[in-house]
Structures are given as structure tokens and as C-alpha cells.
Amino acid sequence: MLKRVKKYAMAGKKGTFYWKSLIWFLFTTSIPGLIIGGCIYWFAVGSIEKDVSELHQKQIAERAQNIDDQFSSVELDISHWAFNPRFGSNLREFNFVYYFKETWDVTKTLFMLQGSHPLIQEVQLFIDRDKPVLFKPEYYELKDDTLVSGFERLIEEGRNIYWTNWLPASASAPPSVDAPIVLTHKIPGDSTAPFGVIVVSLKRDKVMNLLKTMTPYNEGLTLLLDKEGRVIVSDDSVEKPISGAIKSEVMQRNEPAGTFLFASDGVTYSVSYGTMKRISSDWIYISAAPMTSITSPVVAVSNMIITISASGVLLALLLSWLASWRVYSPVERLMKRLSGDKTGPFHPQAVDEFQFLERQWNHLTNESLSLRNRLEEQRSHVRAGFLLQLLQGHLNSYSEQDLKERVKLYGWNVDNHLFHIVHIQLTGYDVLTERFAHGDESLVTFAASNIIEELSAERFEQFSVVNFHDLTVGLLVMSPSGISVSERLHALGEEITKAVNRIIKMQVTITISGKIGSIRHVPDMFIEVERATGYRKFVNQNQLIDMENLSTDSGNEEIGYPFALERDVIHAMRNGKREEAERLITLFLEESRSGRGTEIHVQQSMLQLLGSIQHAILQSGTSTRQLFHGENMFAQLSQIREPDKMLHWMKEKVIVPFIEERDAKANSQMKRMVENTVDYIHAHYAEDISLDGCADLVGTNPYTLSKLFKQVTGVNFIDYVTELRLAQAKKLLCETDRKINDIAVEVGYQQRYFNRIFKKHVGVTPGQYREQAEA
């Protein structure tokens, strides 16, 4: 084997590992693809055909139920109108010519019934009397004896409501090709001696379209039969012999519903049938669809599966070769790099590729360990970590001597040396939204620390830069005792400021500490430097603070607090004026900065304003914990060191949530106020009700209540009261025999005004309305 590998290598061919990996790739990718393709085709197709067939049967049953619901809806509508008092016993002797308004009401009712369902084509009302009357749906005096006899025949049928395929027609009318679908209901609906009938004929084409939904294919058969097997509606898209054969097969079966296969002329049909329970008889529906129409999607999917499986196998072969080549390519490049001395013991022609790589790796690892041991002796790279721990106070337990020993170990000479701390803070980050994205603070600080390190190396021999990754950088400078470096530190600060302004486009606040004679005092001085940074002017401009020249009473100077603006801000928030509140917040911050304007004083003013706002929020009945989701707002505000960011935080985190919560409560109170007014109107409509009185009742003014009432109810206050009173008056006029004057008083009107307003809104006087109701 080794000789063969050597031969291939000498000939420029691949090694043993390449051919083994290629064979395994071909085997592992091709065989599973063939197995999966075969299993999908032979086992899944039959299951899909069965599932599709069952789904088809379920769809037929659901659509049959939908058709049954449509017919039931028509029956329910006709029964509802047949029992309507308008079609009562008074129609038998009613003078339709004299009382034309009531005649028109009957016509409108029939029009409403005719349009109540999309299946209804025409509605007729026949009244059997001395002079028979027919509404079609307009009023006619029926003089055709043939038509009269036909309608009388419908009245003489045994049931009050029933289906029929016969409709009265004139003797001169041409015979109809298709039998109509008619639903009849005798009137009065609750009478044992009916004298009339409502005749509803359905749209045959609509019924046919409805039935076709049970066979949603271009081929198929749909039938609707009565219980004797007579065809009510049929689909003419198939030949009659097939229709008759399927109908005969269904009628011979004893089950009320079922499914079976029917073969005719080499075509197999899936036949589904069932029963629809109608009022006077049972109907039978039949749906037959060719199996080829049902299973054609399955056949297409099966062929697609075979094609995809075959294509997958070919693609797997191609990808196997490509993957083997791509996997071996880095191995080949690595071997070329590691081959080195072709005559040495590690030559790749002598062993398998990975055996060769393993030996070379072990050789390089030994060399790496040797170099690492030598590098361990040079530990200057850990000086920055030590300094960070020192500044943060983590080394307070060390003695001065221990700290000096560690510093010397890192390559620093601290004997007879003084220490100086320079704190550099970058400002104006939030203004540069186009230059920097959110979360780039660490990247910006890294760039600034590199600039500071380069500039410091030009002026000092011993120094160290600490990157705090939050737009602040620390610089520790060590200088020999007796040599003043104050001027050099100031010059360095100016160079850092110019470089950061030019390159990063940000402003710089530099704080320079005094002299430090002991390493153990460095952490304490660093804390003082950070505190001194708070005395910077709270503006985006370059500033340099020298702690040796900083006034000792800088923090004791009293500054003015804008109490008037605080009051205006809280007032605007309570009134829901968001823009006004934001404008006043901006003025508040500007006035706070215009005084002493240091970071400490501005933060104290903003924190005091936040406390006042939270107090106002609590007074309004709103929970600050719920409004701010339990967040510590004071802690968040105290961490912000940029004026623009502080202003944005106050607007988005404090003002907006409170005003949105206030508006939500106001909408709820407005609705409750109108609901209380409506309840009062319903309870005291018979009394003297006024808008002013209701406004006093709910605690608002008439104008506001009128506007809210119209907004919530959709009608004016006066119109609502009037409609309620007139509705109660109509009820009393129809159901009682009280005097009109008493009824007027009972609903809150004087008689004269009651008659006038009743006629204005109803169209007739109260007396006329009572007469019409009694008629």
C-alpha cells in the first residue's frame, strides 16, 4: 500500500486518503437517496390516494350540509313571516282598495321576503275570499278561474307548509320545460282553517349552482331527488343513461347515506349520497365524480417524486465528487506547506496523509511550547491588567513594598518617582448619529486610547493607558521626583484634544490630578479625579480641569433652581400637552446649564425635577412602579452624562408614558360619564330633563357633555331624550286605553306640545296612531 501511495505521489496524483474519502462520499450520499425515493413512491402514494379520497368524501358531506342549511333557512324565513300579525285573519275581509297604505305595507313585506334569501325568485300571496286577491307581490284582483283553482288546490293540501314541484298557471300560459321548486305556507300560520297561502318559488339556476359545489370537477354528476325518486334538480353535463343507472343503484340501497364506487364505460365514479330532512318529505342528494379527477393530483405528485428522487441521486453523485475535492483541498495545501525537506523522515510520500500531518503537528507543538516558555519570562503585556486592578481598588490589601515589587516585575522603575493620573472623557457621542451607530462606544474608546498612547509615547518614557470601553480612558504617568511635568501634561492634553477633535470628531474633557508619591494612594486619587470630572461645564465643548488649580468651594456655590419652569412642566403634563411639556423640559435644561452649568449641578437639577414629576404622577392616582415597569429611574438618569441624551431620556421615558396613561384614563372616564347620563335619562325621562342638569350630575359643563354624548352615542342629547319618550308613548298608545293627555304627562310632555312633536316625528297624531294600531 505504501509503495502504491508513493507511486501516486511521484506521479502527481492524490494520496490514499483522497480515494477512500471519495468512495465513502459516493456510497453515503447515493444509497440513502435511492432508498428514500423508492419508499416515498411505493408506500406514500397509496396513503395519499386514500387520504385524498377520504378528504373528498368529507367535502361532499360538508357541502351537502351547507345546501341543507340553505333550504332550512328558506323554510325558517317563510314560517317566520307566515306567523306575522300582518298576515292574520283580518286579511280575509280587509278592504285593500280603501286602505291603500296597509295594502302597500303588505306589498313591501312580500318584497322584503323575496329579497331575504338569494335562492328566492318570487313570492306570491293568495287570499281566498268572495273576490280572490293575489299579491305578486303587488296587489291584483284575481279573475282567472284556472289560477284561482290552482291556488285553492294548494290551500287544500294536508300540511300547513310543504314543498311541491307545481305552481298554479293560467290556461293560456305555455307549458314550462323544467318543473319549479316551490315552498308553500298557508295563512294564517296558526289557523286550522286557512284562507290563503304564501307561495315561494326558488331560482332553479341558483339551486343548480349550489348543488354543483358537491362535484367541483369538470366531469361528474349531481342529482337532487324526492323520496319517490323523482328528479327535483339535475346536472345535464352527463348522459342520461349514466344518471339513471346511478339513481337506480342509490334507490335500491337501504342505508340513508353512504359511498360506493360505480363503473360505467370504463370509468369508475366515486358516488356519495345522503338524505336532507325537509318539512313535508325527505330529499336525496347524489354526487358522482370520476376517480381520475380526484386522484389526478396524487398521480402528478407521484411522478414528481420519482423525477426529483432520480435527479437527487445524480446531484448527490456530483456533489460527492465536489465535496471530496473540497475536503481534500485544504489537506493538500497543508501537506505542501509542511513537506519541507522532501528527503526527511516526515516526507508525505512515506505515510498516509493524516499520519504525516500528525507527526508534523507534534513537531511544531514542541517548538511552540519551547517558545511559550521563553515568552513567559517577558510579562510586560500584563501591566495594563495590573493597572486596571490598581485603579479600581482591588489591590488595597497589598503593602507599598509589595506593589513596588510587582511594578518592577512589569518593567517599571518607580524608585524616587511620582505618579500623575490623567482622566480623558469623550463627549458629544449622541450628536454624531450619522457617524456612529448605537453600541459603537467601545470601538470609539479603543480608537481614542490608541491616539492617546501614541501621543504619550512622544513625551513620557514611563506611562500606561487604560481603556474603560465607556468613552473614558485613564492615563498613569510616572516621572522622576524633582522634575515638574505639569506643563508637559497640559501640552499633552492639548494635543489629545486636537487629535480627537480632528480624527473622531468628538469633544474631550481632560482632568489632571496632582502629584502622587505612593502607589497605594493611586486608587484614592483616581476616585478624586472622577469626582472632579463632574465639575466640567455640561456642554459639548473641550474642557481641561487641573485639580491643583480647582477651587475648594466649587461644590458649595449656590445656584438657582428654575421652580417656575418645574411648575409649568408638571402643569403641561397634567393637561396632556406633550409638545408643551417637551418644550418646557428643554427650557429647564437650558436654564440649569446657563447658571453654573457643571455636570454635577445639572444632574442634581434634573434629578430634583424627576422627583417632582414622580410626586405629581402619584397625586394623579397613577402608580409610578406600574408606569415605569419597576425600573429605577433615578439610577438611569444619574448614569447619563450628555445633555442631549438626558433630554431625550426625560421625554421618552417620563413624559410620553405618563401622557399616554393619562389619555387612556380620560377615554375611560368619558365613556363612563356618558353611560351615567344615559342611565339617568332612562330612569327620569318622564321628568323635566335638561342638558345643564345632567352636566351638573356627572360633574362637567353642558358643552363638554353634549360633545361627549354625540361622540359616544351617535345622536344629540335632545334627540335621544325625544326618541326615548316617543317610543314609550307608542307603547302606551298601543297597549293601554289611557287618555292621550295622561300619556303625554307620563312621558314628560304637555298635551299640546306632545301632539305637535309626535306628529312631527311619527307623521300622524297620537289619536291616529292608536286607530291604526287597533285596525
Side-chain angles (χ1 to χ4, degrees):
M1 175 64 70
L2 292 178
K3 292 181 179 180
R4 193 158 55 244
V5 171
K6 181 177 180 180
K7 179 180 179 181
Y8 285 144
M10 292 297 292
K13 297 182 180 180
K14 308 296 182 183
T16 306
F17 170 77
Y18 172 79
W19 297 109
K20 290 181 179 179
S21 62
L22 177 60
I23 294 174
W24 277 109
F25 270 117
L26 293 175
F27 179 81
T28 55
T29 54
S30 301
I31 300 303
L34 293 174
I35 295 175
I36 292 173
C39 292
I40 290 176
Y41 181 76
W42 295 111
F43 297 102
V45 168
S47 177
I48 293 176
E49 289 181 348
K50 180 181 179 182
D51 293 340
V52 170
S53 179
E54 291 177 355
L55 178 61
H56 171 71
Q57 304 305 331
K58 290 180 181 178
Q59 290 177 343
I60 295 299
E62 291 174 356
R63 292 170 181 174
Q65 182 61 42
N66 178 51
I67 297 172
D68 184 71
D69 292 341
Q70 296 286 336
F71 284 114
S72 298
S73 177
V74 175
E75 294 171 350
L76 183 62
D77 289 346
I78 300 305
S79 298
H80 170 76
W81 288 105
F83 284 87
N84 192 298
R86 191 176 299 280
F87 301 123
S89 302
N90 59 331
L91 292 181
R92 190 164 194 173
E93 304 297 335
F94 193 81
N95 190 339
F96 291 99
V97 177
Y98 182 79
Y99 296 99
F100 65 91
K101 187 176 182 303
E102 285 74 11
T103 304
W104 175 237
D105 289 341
V106 173
T107 300
K108 288 193 296 182
T109 301
L110 294 178
F111 273 116
M112 291 174 60
L113 177 57
Q114 184 170 306
S116 64
H117 200 280
L119 292 180
I120 297 178
Q121 180 176 3
E122 185 180 39
V123 179
Q124 303 179 55
L125 170 64
F126 173 76
I127 303 174
D128 190 11
R129 45 197 272 178
D130 295 336
K131 292 182 178 181
V133 173
L134 176 65
F135 285 83
K136 193 178 177 180
E138 293 89 0
Y139 169 80
Y140 297 94
E141 285 188 4
L142 195 59
K143 298 180 180 180
D144 190 333
D145 294 336
T146 304
L147 282 174
V148 172
S149 300
F151 283 107
E152 290 176 347
R153 172 183 169 186
L154 295 177
I155 297 176
E156 293 171 358
E157 291 289 337
R159 293 178 177 268
N160 277 352
I161 179 172
Y162 58 93
W163 290 89
T164 181
N165 60 351
W166 177 80
L167 189 66
S170 173
S172 60
S176 177
V177 177
D178 297 321
I181 306 174
V182 180
L183 177 62
T184 62
H185 200 300
K186 302 175 186 179
I187 61 168
D190 55 350
S191 175
T192 57
F195 58 85
V197 65
I198 297 176
V199 181
V200 178
S201 57
L202 303 186
K203 298 177 183 178
R204 189 177 184 84
D205 57 338
K206 293 288 186 181
V207 176
M208 190 65 252
N209 291 335
L210 193 61
L211 290 176
K212 285 182 178 179
T213 60
M214 290 194 296
T215 309
Y217 306 100
N218 295 329
E219 301 177 2
L221 166 68
T222 306
L223 295 174
L224 185 62
L225 313 176
D226 59 15
K227 61 183 179 180
E228 286 80 18
R230 293 188 295 268
V231 177
I232 299 176
V233 183
S234 66
D235 183 5
D236 297 329
S237 62
V238 296
E239 296 180 3
K240 290 184 178 180
I242 300 177
S243 174
I246 293 177
K247 182 178 70 174
S248 300
E249 179 67 21
V250 171
M251 297 304 296
Q252 292 176 3
R253 292 177 174 265
N254 297 325
E255 296 84 4
T259 302
F260 62 93
L261 298 179
F262 183 85
S264 176
D265 296 333
V267 179
T268 301
Y269 293 86
S270 175
V271 182
S272 299
Y273 67 96
T275 303
M276 297 181 184
K277 297 292 184 179
R278 300 272 57 85
I279 292 178
S280 58
S281 64
D282 294 339
W283 290 357
I284 301 172
Y285 69 87
I286 301 174
S287 173
M291 289 298 295
T292 54
S293 298
I294 299 175
T295 59
S296 58
V298 178
V299 175
V301 171
S302 303
N303 294 332
M304 185 180 299
I305 290 174
I306 295 175
T307 304
I308 293 175
S309 299
S311 301
V313 172
L314 296 177
L315 182 62
L317 295 174
L318 177 61
L319 293 178
S320 298
W321 175 83
L322 180 61
S324 178
W325 178 79
R326 291 297 300 271
V327 168
Y328 188 79
S329 179
V331 176
E332 186 178 30
R333 292 198 302 270
L334 186 59
M335 290 184 63
K336 289 180 179 179
R337 288 184 174 272
L338 297 179
S339 59
D341 184 10
K342 295 184 179 295
T343 60
F346 302 129
H347 193 273
Q349 298 176 0
V351 292
D352 181 77
E353 290 93 327
F354 275 91
Q355 292 178 352
F356 167 77
L357 293 177
E358 182 180 3
R359 294 184 182 181
Q360 288 293 87
W361 179 263
N362 292 334
H363 175 69
L364 295 176
T365 301
N366 294 332
E367 291 184 353
S368 176
L369 290 174
S370 176
L371 292 174
R372 184 178 301 176
N373 292 331
R374 279 180 278 175
L375 289 175
E376 282 295 326
E377 299 175 0
Q378 308 296 328
R379 306 179 61 184
S380 59
H381 59 279
V382 297
R383 291 189 300 184
F386 164 77
L387 182 58
L388 180 61
Q389 291 181 351
L390 178 65
L391 294 177
Q392 293 178 347
H394 299 312
L395 303 179
N396 290 336
S397 60
Y398 285 72
S399 65
E400 179 72 14
Q401 187 62 34
D402 292 337
L403 292 175
K404 284 186 176 182
E405 291 296 332
R406 291 195 62 177
V407 169
K408 292 179 180 179
L409 183 63
Y410 299 142
W412 286 331
N413 180 18
V414 295
D415 292 333
N416 299 321
H417 276 66
L418 299 176
F419 303 93
H420 304 267
I421 297 176
V422 181
H423 184 274
I424 302 97
Q425 178 180 338
L426 307 181
T427 60
Y429 178 82
D430 293 319
V431 180
L432 303 177
T433 55
E434 296 181 356
R435 183 175 177 84
F436 302 120
H438 178 70
D440 287 347
E441 291 89 341
S442 179
L443 180 62
V444 173
T445 311
F446 176 77
S449 64
N450 289 338
I451 295 173
I452 295 170
E453 187 170 4
E454 291 179 5
L455 295 176
S456 300
E458 298 175 359
R459 293 185 175 272
F460 301 101
E461 294 181 0
Q462 295 190 113
F463 68 92
S464 183
V465 177
V466 180
N467 181 2
F468 293 105
H469 304 283
D470 59 351
L471 301 179
T472 59
V473 179
L475 173 64
L476 179 65
V477 177
M478 288 157 280
S479 63
S481 301
I483 300 178
S484 176
V485 295
S486 178
E487 294 182 359
R488 284 194 288 170
L489 289 174
H490 281 76
L492 175 63
E494 294 178 359
E495 291 183 359
I496 292 174
T497 300
K498 293 179 181 179
V500 172
N501 292 164
R502 184 181 68 257
I503 300 174
I504 305 181
K505 308 298 183 183
M506 292 181 66
Q507 288 73 42
V508 182
T509 297
I510 298 178
T511 305
I512 302 175
S513 73
K515 302 175 182 177
I516 309 170
S518 172
I519 300 178
R520 296 191 74 241
H521 294 158
V522 169
D524 298 331
M525 180 56 71
F526 182 72
I527 296 176
E528 294 298 325
V529 170
E530 285 188 321
R531 290 177 180 175
T533 304
Y535 292 107
R536 72 182 180 93
K537 293 292 184 180
F538 207 40
V539 292
N540 289 329
Q541 65 183 24
N542 300 316
Q543 302 176 56
L544 191 146
I545 302 172
D546 191 343
M547 293 184 62
E548 292 184 346
N549 301 325
L550 189 64
S551 176
T552 57
D553 61 347
S554 298
N556 299 324
E557 180 179 348
E558 293 186 2
I559 59 172
Y561 179 78
F563 289 99
L565 284 175
E566 175 193 283
R567 184 181 62 254
D568 294 341
V569 168
I570 295 175
H571 181 70
M573 291 178 63
R574 285 174 174 170
N575 293 332
K577 299 179 180 179
R578 174 180 174 180
E579 295 180 356
E580 179 68 11
E582 292 178 348
R583 184 183 68 82
L584 292 171
I585 285 282
T586 304
L587 292 177
F588 184 94
L589 181 60
E590 291 177 355
E591 186 166 335
S592 299
R593 293 167 58 182
S594 64
R596 185 170 181 83
T598 64
E599 178 182 317
I600 293 178
H601 295 131
V602 173
Q603 279 193 340
Q604 289 176 349
S605 298
M606 295 302 286
L607 287 171
Q608 184 172 343
L609 175 62
L610 176 61
S612 300
I613 291 176
Q614 289 205 13
H615 179 69
I617 292 173
L618 291 173
Q619 285 183 331
S620 68
T622 302
S623 171
T624 56
R625 180 176 180 83
Q626 181 179 358
L627 182 64
F628 300 132
H629 308 289
E631 296 180 358
N632 189 339
M633 307 299 286
F634 292 96
Q636 291 185 17
L637 181 58
S638 62
Q639 296 298 321
I640 302 176
R641 312 187 72 174
E642 298 289 339
D644 294 332
K645 189 174 182 180
M646 184 179 293
L647 184 63
H648 177 76
W649 183 89
M650 287 291 290
K651 291 178 181 180
E652 297 299 325
K653 295 292 187 178
V654 180
I655 295 178
V656 173
F658 173 71
I659 292 180
E660 289 179 351
E661 179 70 16
R662 173 194 171 278
D663 293 342
K665 286 185 176 180
N667 292 333
S668 176
Q669 293 173 357
M670 176 186 70
K671 184 177 180 182
R672 187 162 53 251
M673 187 181 300
V674 174
E675 290 175 351
N676 293 338
T677 303
V678 171
D679 293 340
Y680 180 80
I681 293 173
H682 279 265
H684 302 85
Y685 67 88
E687 302 173 7
D688 185 14
I689 299 178
S690 66
L691 181 63
D692 293 344
C694 291
D696 293 338
L697 180 66
V698 297
T700 186
N701 58 73
Y703 173 78
T704 301
L705 179 60
S706 176
K707 182 178 179 181
L708 296 180
F709 195 92
K710 177 65 178 294
Q711 182 178 349
V712 175
T713 63
V715 297
N716 294 326
F717 177 85
I718 297 300
D719 294 340
Y720 189 89
V721 175
T722 302
E723 291 177 3
L724 177 62
R725 287 174 170 175
L726 291 180
Q728 185 65 17
K730 291 178 183 179
K731 181 178 180 181
L732 294 174
L733 288 171
C734 295
E735 298 179 358
T736 68
D737 56 355
R738 298 180 189 176
K739 295 181 180 180
I740 296 177
N741 187 28
D742 296 338
I743 293 176
V745 174
E746 186 170 345
V747 297
Y749 289 117
Q750 296 180 359
Q751 183 179 6
R752 179 181 302 175
Y753 182 68
F754 173 66
N755 290 339
R756 185 169 63 253
I757 197 170
F758 191 93
K759 185 174 182 180
K760 177 182 177 181
H761 287 82
V762 182
V764 295
T765 64
Q768 292 173 339
Y769 182 83
R770 172 174 279 176
E771 292 176 359
Q772 293 177 2
E774 293 175 351

